[in-house]
Amino acid sequence: MVLMRALHRAGTRVMEPVHACELEVPADTLSAVLAALGAVGGHVHESRPGGGAWELRGELPARAVHGFRTALPGLTRGEGFLLSRRSRVRPVAGAPPRRARTDGNPLNREEYLLHLRRSGPGG
């Protein structure tokens, strides 16, 4: 409980891993690819046209890399290319991910003590 309170008071932030990515997509699929990137929290930092295609450089949250890589052929008629590598961590945008507690909540003293009583010896 002490650690949880200290982290809360310190204003601890939840971070997420990010991949640097390079894409090459057909020019006529650019808007669909950009929309899909934005929908999963990706960002484009550089873009340039070349030979009927666009080359993009940016970032993609690690949690979204597999799904985006799987969706890319459908967005680009199988002509898109994605190269990604781990890059850095950044603060999670919006509400941090949560999961249901599987034990008593130490921030709710009554709930936590009841959980300890039930899970303790003879409980």
Side-chain angles (χ1 to χ4, degrees):
M1 271 197 296
V2 173
L3 177 60
M4 288 181 73
R5 283 192 183 128
L7 290 172
H8 180 72
R9 287 182 186 150
T12 304
R13 300 183 74 182
V14 177
M15 307 296 278
E16 70 178 340
V18 175
H19 282 220
C21 62
E22 298 177 29
L23 292 110
E24 186 174 311
V25 301
D28 64 326
T29 67
L30 180 63
S31 61
V33 171
L34 291 175
L37 268 173
V40 296
H43 300 282
V44 174
H45 302 299
E46 293 178 44
S47 60
R48 67 182 162 184
W54 278 84
E55 294 177 12
L56 310 171
R57 291 179 188 260
E59 294 183 324
L60 193 57
R63 64 180 155 72
V65 171
H66 177 71
F68 186 79
R69 187 180 308 277
T70 302
L72 189 60
L75 295 168
T76 63
R77 300 177 310 275
E79 298 176 36
F81 175 78
L82 170 67
L83 177 65
S84 69
R85 68 181 186 291
R86 288 178 287 169
S87 174
R88 64 184 188 99
V89 294
R90 69 179 181 195
V92 169
R98 294 194 170 270
R99 65 174 177 82
R101 291 201 71 90
T102 58
D103 57 2
N105 180 358
L107 298 177
N108 179 328
R109 186 173 172 81
E110 287 182 32
E111 179 186 324
Y112 188 63
L113 291 174
L114 183 60
H115 167 75
L116 289 177
R117 186 173 184 201
R118 287 185 191 149
S119 63

